[in-house]
Amino acid sequence: MFDRIKEKLEILADAAKYDVSCSSSGSKRSNKNKGLGNSDGMGICHSYTEDGRCVSLLKILLTNHCIFDCAYCVTRRSNDIKRAAFKVQEVVDLTINFYRRNYIEGLFLSSGIFKDADFTMERLIQVAKKLRLEENFNGYIHLKSIPGANDELMYEAGLYADRLSVNIEIPTVSGLKKLAPEKDHADFIKPMEKVKNEIIQYNSEKKLIKSTPKYAPAGQSTQMIVGATGESDREIMLSANHYYKNYNMKRVYYSGYVPIRNDPRLPSLSSQVPMLRENRLYQTDWLMRFYGFNVNELLNQQFPNLDVEVDPKLSWALRNPQHFPVDINRAEKETLLRIPGVGLKSVSKILNARKYQKLNYDHLKAIGVALNRARYFIICNSRGWETRDLDSAKIKSLILRNSVGKFRKEYSSQLSLF
Ligand code: SF4
């Protein structure tokens, strides 16, 4: 019995590792007593709660059986792999056992689709419901919304889960058709729409009725695979922007495609995971959400893909020299946020510090500004020699020459496929 559960855990935790929509990262905890729960890092990931706390989660699939055959997925029907399925009670017991041993603070539960969407969603909900109602479990629960699950189930899921997510997987409808022709884009949208509306309703009702039951307090998220199809970065970010705006997503995750098979529709098995591209997309996402940029400023028809050599804010600044130099001691907050090498924290420190004195390079360095980038784009109470006679190409080459460029060598050959 113990061995079978251990085997299921190995299979279903391994299958879950491709889902990055819970900010996964590895964790190793040894079990000195050789008991169940010696995850050796397997199946444990980290996520962020409603109030921004980082928590470690047991990350597993309920099953890796699936009726679908999505080309990009290891769990696809036609793949010849070991299959397993947990019973509802087994997941409940595992979660409680791991929780009591302090290995985890919550559960991330996804699943292949067995029988149909509702049947699978019902079982995911049963796990969460048992944990909450029978085990009085107050830890974090992230449940996968199964595309096509009906509205009643999606409502129920939100009563027990902190976060819900439905992975859009392929950023465009045409890409999805190519790699997962059995799937219907509308089936992804339906649960997203329901969760969004329920969260809005909950937020308005709780103002009037304090006892309104909580609904998915950590909101919803989604994941897109990057590099499986030929979408440009612009298409990916336009799609992400659409989900943020129309479905109130808390987060969109970008997951570089991991080559898993030889298929003429996909990058070859020898191609690399596009890690650097993934990183640049996250930076762009950050600029859109916290720095006031819109997608079309960062990516447009003339510039559909991100510059892998430099970060997207620096890339934008090099293409828009008319906005610089910015006077550190006078500019508005929105303008300061656009200076390469100046982050959110630095901006608030600058705004505060300049009330008392005119800031120079030494002050900016102490504040945490990355002067190796920022100095080409600012004027302050030091001599601004850096901007003299330097065009964008020269500035870029000076910055690159003086930077470590840890990703440069890793620039994925997968990008050149498209
Ligand atoms: S439905 Fe989900 S689990 Fe099944 S093959 Fe497609 S992506 Fe994989």
Side-chain angles (χ1 to χ4, degrees):
M1 179 71 173
F2 173 84
D3 284 345
R4 181 59 191 142
I5 297 283
K6 193 162 179 272
E7 190 189 8
K8 283 189 194 181
L9 183 59
E10 276 167 10
I11 296 169
L12 295 170
D14 190 59
K17 75 183 178 201
Y18 295 95
D19 195 324
V20 299
S21 63
C22 70
S23 310
S24 155
S25 63
S27 163
K28 280 187 193 271
R29 281 172 202 261
S30 57
N31 183 339
K32 292 179 186 110
N33 302 321
K34 294 190 175 168
L36 182 68
N38 185 355
S39 64
D40 197 22
M42 182 180 290
I44 310 288
C45 75
H46 293 119
S47 192
Y48 294 89
T49 59
E50 186 189 4
D51 57 6
R53 240 173 4 103
C54 181
V55 289
S56 48
L57 305 178
L58 170 63
K59 180 180 177 182
I60 48 171
L61 299 190
L62 186 62
T63 180
N64 66 343
H65 288 280
C66 193
I67 56 171
F68 286 96
D69 203 37
C70 310
Y72 47 82
C73 179
V74 278
T75 302
R76 68 188 183 278
R77 179 180 72 222
S78 62
N79 200 13
D80 184 18
I81 50 165
K82 259 192 177 177
R83 304 278 173 177
F86 278 123
K87 292 180 184 145
V88 167
Q89 192 58 44
E90 288 171 343
V91 179
V92 172
D93 292 344
L94 268 180
T95 309
I96 294 299
N97 280 333
F98 277 27
Y99 189 73
R100 288 203 178 121
R101 285 170 167 78
N102 275 335
Y103 294 162
I104 56 158
E105 291 160 278
L107 170 69
F108 172 91
L109 186 61
S110 183
S111 185
I113 303 176
F114 47 137
K115 206 169 160 190
D116 59 41
D118 287 349
F119 184 85
T120 310
M121 194 71 224
E122 262 171 25
R123 263 140 201 84
L124 296 180
I125 294 168
Q126 275 177 28
V127 172
K129 195 171 176 176
K130 267 178 176 278
L131 282 168
R132 294 288 193 230
L133 302 185
E134 293 176 19
E135 303 291 340
N136 201 18
F137 178 72
N138 288 309
Y140 184 84
I141 299 179
H142 180 156
L143 283 190
K144 226 7 123 34
S145 312
I146 302 298
N150 77 46
D151 282 359
E152 286 73 34
L153 290 173
M154 289 317 303
Y155 172 71
E156 205 181 354
L159 296 178
Y160 304 112
D162 294 279
R163 172 165 286 185
L164 293 166
S165 60
V166 55
N167 286 352
I168 204 74
E169 303 291 17
I170 302 298
T172 58
V173 178
S174 58
L176 184 75
K177 262 205 162 59
K178 185 172 148 200
L179 297 183
E182 301 162 309
K183 280 195 166 167
D184 186 351
H185 181 73
D187 285 344
F188 292 92
I189 301 304
K190 201 167 143 264
M192 268 184 202
E193 185 81 45
K194 176 68 180 169
V195 171
K196 179 192 87 174
N197 291 337
E198 286 298 338
I199 291 173
I200 291 172
Q201 193 171 337
Y202 164 72
N203 286 334
S204 67
E205 279 178 8
K206 85 168 175 195
K207 284 180 197 148
L208 304 171
I209 310 163
K210 272 209 158 134
S211 59
T212 305
K214 273 197 168 190
Y215 187 87
Q220 63 175 335
S221 60
T222 192
Q223 167 184 288
M224 292 180 199
I225 298 173
V226 175
T229 39
E231 286 90 5
S232 64
D233 292 337
R234 178 170 181 253
E235 286 175 291
I236 292 169
M237 293 318 300
L238 283 172
S239 179
N241 191 46
H242 170 79
Y243 291 110
Y244 278 125
K245 290 237 155 82
N246 296 303
Y247 300 98
N248 300 351
M249 284 292 153
K250 276 273 191 241
R251 285 296 303 272
V252 175
Y253 293 91
Y254 309 92
S255 172
Y257 172 68
V258 180
I260 49 162
R261 65 187 297 200
N262 271 322
D263 182 316
R265 294 170 294 173
L266 289 162
S268 78
L269 265 180
S270 60
S271 57
Q272 291 173 25
V273 180
M275 299 289 288
L276 178 53
R277 186 180 181 195
E278 189 186 293
N279 183 268
R280 294 282 180 249
L281 290 169
Y282 275 115
Q283 289 173 326
T284 308
D285 181 289
W286 208 254
L287 291 179
M288 279 161 39
R289 289 191 297 137
F290 302 112
Y291 286 77
F293 283 89
N294 74 52
V295 191
N296 292 315
E297 287 179 288
L298 298 163
L299 292 157
N300 48 50
Q301 278 178 350
Q302 289 75 45
F303 189 73
N305 288 305
L306 295 163
D307 187 338
V308 287
E309 289 186 310
V310 295
D311 69 75
K313 200 199 308 184
L314 175 55
S315 173
W316 172 81
L318 292 169
R319 283 179 283 125
N320 291 278
Q322 72 278 14
H323 296 300
F324 299 98
V326 167
D327 186 342
I328 285 284
N329 289 299
R330 304 179 69 164
E332 301 283 322
K333 181 182 176 187
E334 294 68 30
T335 310
L336 293 173
L337 282 169
R338 294 191 163 228
I339 304 169
V342 180
L344 285 165
K345 277 191 192 156
S346 296
V347 167
S348 49
K349 284 184 187 167
I350 288 169
L351 291 171
N352 194 39
R354 77 185 189 184
K355 286 182 201 157
Y356 307 101
Q357 62 192 326
K358 290 233 180 258
L359 304 180
N360 59 29
Y361 286 153
D362 291 335
H363 297 130
L364 294 175
K365 201 171 171 191
I367 277 171
V369 168
L371 278 176
N372 63 327
R373 276 170 284 155
R375 64 184 178 177
Y376 301 102
F377 302 95
I378 59 173
I379 46 174
C380 60
N381 214 24
S382 297
R383 282 190 67 209
W385 60 270
E386 287 83 0
T387 53
R388 265 188 261 151
D389 299 329
L390 293 177
D391 62 14
S392 291
K394 184 78 180 151
I395 292 173
K396 183 176 175 179
S397 85
L398 281 171
I399 291 174
L400 283 177
R401 203 167 63 201
N402 297 325
S403 69
V404 183
K406 62 174 179 167
F407 286 113
R408 225 179 304 164
K409 281 194 195 127
E410 296 164 21
Y411 176 32
S412 166
S413 60
Q414 191 164 310
L415 293 176
S416 64
L417 286 173
F418 306 112

